[in-house]
Amino acid sequence: MDFLLLHGGLHGGWCWQETARTLRAFGHRVVTPTLTGSGERAHLLTPEIDLDTGIADIVAVIEAEELSDLTLVAHSLGGAVACGVADRLGCGIVTRLLFLDAMILQNGRSVLDEMPQEVAATRREMARASGMNSIEPIAPESFGLTDADQIAWVARRQTRQAFGCFSQPLKLAHPVGNGAACTYIRCTRPRYPAVEPSAAWARDQPGWSFVEFDACHDAMVEKPHRLACLVETLAVRA
């Protein structure tokens, strides 16, 4: 089975290291791309980067790697990108979508639109203060991490995030998922407030699966092996 693990804001493909290693040990093909301007591609950050940039990144990876019958696992901000990728490629390629504590966007909506107002206001102020249309890294403890080694590991790898990924409305030609089997994984310890509206929407969607996972928002860092087992189980069931 093919898996593409898509990181969230302020992260990169690096955050999936242990989860990807476990899935590969199970015999699956796994890719962990990094979006333009993030992680090891931070040197490419520009004020013009937005959701369309990220969608083009992932579509190009899927096509270049010739991935098929694909399970796309999207974390946090990556959920917005995943919505666009599925819309463009359809369920013939993206067969399963797993939203891991992720943002979900409807047509014409932005990530800021789907966040609680107080969270969106904070993101806007961070971008304004940066003077670069981007958001500075934030304390890993904000993602619920408590282990000192994990906090340090994330802190030294975080990079800035283009604000356009938050502010650009997403254009969709199809309903969310575009025919893929969709599951929302809500991390519960503690509940990350920025994604609560998306999680609540997903919980009420007919035909969707909704599961709770006893982990913090950065579940792939805190509990990577348990997450890999959950992801594989959900992909097989879909």
Side-chain angles (χ1 to χ4, degrees), residues 6-10 35 51 74-82 100-105 111-112 115 161-162 165-167 192 195 217:
L6 178 54
H7 66 86
L10 307 171
L35 300 176
L51 285 178
H75 177 240
S76 199
L77 181 65
V81 175
L100 175 63
D101 237 24
M103 302 298 306
I104 297 176
L105 300 187
V111 171
L112 293 175
M115 285 180 164
Q161 179 66 50
C165 297
F166 293 91
S167 61
Y192 191 62
V195 301
H217 183 62

Side-chain angles (χ1 to χ4, degrees), residues 50-226:
D50 54 20
L51 285 178
D52 284 341
T53 311
I55 293 166
D57 283 337
I58 301 306
V59 169
V61 169
I62 292 171
E63 292 176 344
E65 296 290 340
E66 297 185 338
L67 303 176
S68 62
D69 189 21
L70 175 64
T71 298
L72 174 51
V73 184
H75 177 240
S76 199
L77 181 65
V81 175
C83 289
V85 171
D87 191 70
R88 285 152 180 74
L89 296 180
C91 60
I93 296 177
V94 181
T95 310
R96 293 160 296 273
L97 268 173
L98 305 184
F99 292 97
L100 175 63
D101 237 24
M103 302 298 306
I104 297 176
L105 300 187
Q106 311 294 319
N107 182 47
R109 302 283 288 177
S110 71
V111 171
L112 293 175
D113 293 332
E114 297 302 330
M115 285 180 164
Q117 290 186 0
E118 63 276 13
V119 179
T122 299
R123 298 292 187 270
R124 289 190 180 95
E125 176 57 26
M126 290 171 71
R128 186 201 63 77
S130 77
M132 296 179 62
N133 201 41
S134 63
I135 291 175
E136 296 277 0
I138 61 179
E141 292 92 335
S142 300
F143 307 128
L145 293 170
T146 58
D147 179 86
D149 289 340
Q150 292 176 346
I151 289 169
W153 190 75
V154 172
R156 65 178 178 264
R157 285 169 171 78
Q158 281 194 98
T159 51
R160 303 168 72 97
Q161 179 66 50
F163 186 64
C165 297
F166 293 91
S167 61
Q168 184 194 24
L170 181 63
K171 296 179 181 179
L172 298 177
H174 309 91
V176 174
N178 194 14
C182 294
T183 298
Y184 198 95
I185 305 170
R186 182 60 164 125
C187 298
T188 61
R189 193 182 46 77
R191 294 181 186 272
Y192 191 62
V195 301
E196 183 53 38
S198 293
W201 180 87
R203 187 185 296 113
D204 294 336
Q205 296 312 298
W208 282 48
S209 299
F210 187 93
V211 299
E212 293 190 336
F213 185 46
D214 181 27
C216 73
H217 183 62
D218 261 13
M220 77 294 295
V221 177
E222 184 188 36
K223 297 183 178 179
H225 307 295
R226 287 184 57 190

